[in-house]
Amino acid sequence: MIEQPDGSTMSLLHTLVAGLIWLGSVTQAAPPGTIPLTRRDLKFAFGSEKIRGVNLGGWLVLEPWITPSLFEATPDNVVDEYTLTQTLGADEATTRLEQHWSTWITADDFDDIASKGLNFVRIPVGYWSVTPVAGDPYVDGGYKYLGMALDWAANNNLKVMIDLHGAPGSQNGFDNSGRRGAIDWTQGDTVSQTLTALNKLRDDFASHPAVASIELLNEPMGPDLNMDTIRQFMSQGQSNLQSTNVAVAFHDAFLGPTGWNDWGAASASSSLLLDTHHYEVFDNGQLQMSVDQHVSSACGFGDQMASSNKWAISGEFTGAMTDCAKWLNGRGVGARYDGSFNYNGQGSSFIAACDGKSPGSVDNLAEAERTSIATFINAQMVAYEKAAGWIFWTWKTESAPEWSFKDLANAGIIPQPLSSMNTAVCG
């Protein structure tokens, strides 16, 4: 989901720069002709109708910062879903997660999502819910809720992107991959295990009327992995979905919106959908930017997205201009914004206090903060609609006000109706 620190605490800006440096050496890895071209009758008018959606973060893939209550009464070494289930044991973990799965997102949420003018929902799911790997501590039970969610979406005329958010071995070392720390995806059988999970998602759900897209893998860490291997995986995953009428979404692996222009065919013939994520909170320099600078950055990113030769969406973005949300950077890590960040010997300098944001609520945000967040979100929505659209991260949180679409929309900070956004903001 979001770019939290791995062992090297690599920032989003760092990864994008590194990816662009690598681009010249990896774009030859898979020439366009290696991917078969098939025109298909898709379930959404990608490229003409704009995607306006939300992510269901923290539901079928746990993230400590979205639902800290699940982690607060556990030892400090519990930092992700892997260590949570490992520490609790199968029986207790199943009891707690069943309660979470059955209450965090329900049919009422889909009614509410539709009422706010959205047309798309991205649902993160981990491989362990789809095709469990022997020896892992994860518990079964979440997969049935994915099927229920698709029916809830169909009942509200919402389309769904099923997003494989965690791969065996972890594709990025983030806690949102299921396991924080080492990046071991591509080692051993992990790639074939990932393809097996995708094939099951295809077989079980690609024909569902709500499923308009399946995303091959969320945020593989391109700068730390072999890009030839990533591109080969993407090619095979795309090929395995050719017989369906879903768009094949793929994350840019931190190469940026135009970093895949020399791979694959244009979307009109390939049904490829580029997913690029834009956050401006995981770098000390970005955290010191003014609201106007954030707006300018977002508008510029929208121009880059529009330069992709694929349908391009920002599949994750936020209203946050701080990293103050409790455990956003990982449990026990702290925030760069207030100088409390401390991870693997790396620290940060104080910019401003995190009062009211860690934890906090939209109702308690100062008026100036509400105005700034509204301006930033509006600019991003407009910018990303220069391309194929956007999916906000995330629908709701327990106590992270800058990240909760539901609460921000209810407070009038996100335009309601969406058609009332200021479209002149990016010039």
Side-chain angles (χ1 to χ4, degrees):
M1 175 302 305
I2 65 171
E3 291 80 353
Q4 299 172 355
D6 62 359
S8 62
T9 335
M10 181 174 287
S11 71
L12 178 60
L13 181 62
H14 186 180
T15 55
L16 288 177
V17 171
L20 290 172
I21 291 171
W22 280 35
L23 180 57
S25 64
V26 299
T27 53
Q28 303 304 314
T34 62
I35 298 177
L37 306 182
T38 305
R39 293 184 65 86
R40 289 173 283 164
D41 184 17
L42 301 179
K43 304 173 196 175
F44 186 84
F46 298 99
S48 56
E49 183 178 357
K50 302 302 182 184
I51 293 175
R52 294 176 171 179
V54 288
N55 286 274
L56 300 186
W59 185 32
L60 303 181
V61 177
L62 300 185
E63 299 192 35
W65 73 272
I66 296 178
T67 56
S69 64
L70 285 172
F71 292 82
E72 284 169 341
T74 62
D76 290 344
N77 68 294
V78 175
V79 296
D80 49 32
E81 188 162 342
Y82 187 99
T83 50
L84 179 71
T85 53
Q86 184 181 57
T87 299
L88 294 178
D91 291 344
E92 181 63 21
T94 298
T95 297
R96 295 192 190 188
L97 289 184
E98 185 66 38
Q99 171 66 17
H100 168 70
W101 293 327
S102 64
T103 58
W104 182 245
I105 297 293
T106 69
D108 289 343
D109 287 288
F110 282 81
D111 295 343
D112 200 1
I113 288 167
S115 75
K116 288 178 168 48
L118 299 168
N119 57 22
F120 236 90
V121 177
R122 181 172 179 255
I123 305 180
V125 61
Y127 75 91
W128 55 90
S129 293
V130 187
T131 50
V133 173
D136 284 349
Y138 302 110
V139 297
D140 295 334
Y143 197 59
K144 67 176 180 280
Y145 288 97
L146 176 57
M148 294 165 63
L150 301 182
D151 292 339
W152 297 335
N155 291 340
N156 285 281
N157 296 314
L158 293 166
K159 296 304 180 187
V160 171
M161 175 187 291
I162 300 176
D163 152 42
L164 189 62
H165 213 73
S170 179
Q171 73 277 18
N172 52 34
F174 302 153
D175 59 12
N176 57 69
S177 72
R179 190 171 190 180
R180 189 174 105 181
I183 303 173
D184 289 332
W185 184 68
T186 72
Q187 304 300 309
D189 296 329
T190 55
V191 171
S192 63
Q193 289 167 340
T194 306
L195 291 168
T196 297
L198 287 167
N199 288 344
K200 181 169 176 57
L201 289 171
R202 174 200 64 199
D203 296 343
D204 290 349
F205 299 126
S207 63
H208 193 286
V211 178
S213 179
I214 294 176
E215 182 158 11
L216 300 177
L217 186 60
N218 180 69
E219 295 182 351
M221 185 56 72
D224 287 356
L225 294 167
N226 185 312
M227 279 304 305
D228 287 350
T229 302
I230 292 178
R231 289 173 184 272
Q232 183 179 9
F233 162 77
M234 297 295 191
S235 296
Q236 185 61 58
Q238 196 266 352
S239 178
N240 291 351
L241 290 169
Q242 276 294 303
S243 62
T244 73
N245 59 344
V246 301
V248 181
F250 67 101
H251 184 261
D252 65 10
F254 303 103
L255 296 185
T258 60
W260 293 78
N261 279 358
D262 292 334
W263 175 87
S267 296
S269 58
S270 67
S271 302
L272 289 168
L273 178 64
L274 174 72
D275 177 17
T276 184
H277 299 168
H278 192 66
Y279 294 112
E280 299 186 3
V281 297
F282 298 110
D283 175 84
N284 287 328
Q286 291 176 320
L287 288 169
Q288 298 182 61
M289 294 195 307
S290 68
V291 176
D292 289 344
Q293 288 173 317
H294 281 291
V295 167
S296 178
S297 176
C299 291
F301 194 75
D303 290 334
Q304 293 180 49
M305 290 171 58
S307 297
S308 172
N309 64 0
K310 313 291 192 297
W311 298 322
I313 64 165
S314 180
E316 294 184 19
F317 74 103
T318 175
M321 288 172 281
T322 79
D323 64 340
C324 287
K326 180 180 179 179
W327 297 343
L328 177 64
N329 295 301
R331 184 179 184 184
V333 174
R336 297 172 184 85
Y337 196 72
D338 67 359
S340 63
F341 185 91
N342 186 356
Y343 195 76
N344 285 349
Q346 299 187 30
S348 62
S349 300
F350 180 85
I351 298 172
C354 282
D355 296 348
K357 304 185 189 72
S358 179
S361 68
V362 171
D363 289 343
N364 290 332
L365 290 174
E367 189 60 34
E369 291 175 314
R370 295 162 70 96
T371 299
S372 295
I373 293 170
T375 299
F376 186 39
I377 291 175
N378 183 99
Q380 291 185 89
M381 290 179 172
V382 171
Y384 308 152
E385 290 192 9
K386 295 180 181 182
W390 47 264
I391 306 178
F392 189 94
W393 190 278
T394 182
W395 170 238
K396 64 181 182 180
T397 70
E398 286 182 344
S399 58
E402 301 166 291
W403 297 79
S404 176
F405 188 102
K406 178 180 179 178
D407 293 339
L408 291 166
N410 286 343
I413 295 172
I414 289 176
Q416 289 290 289
L418 292 172
S419 58
S420 66
M421 70 177 74
N422 174 16
T423 58
V425 65
C426 286

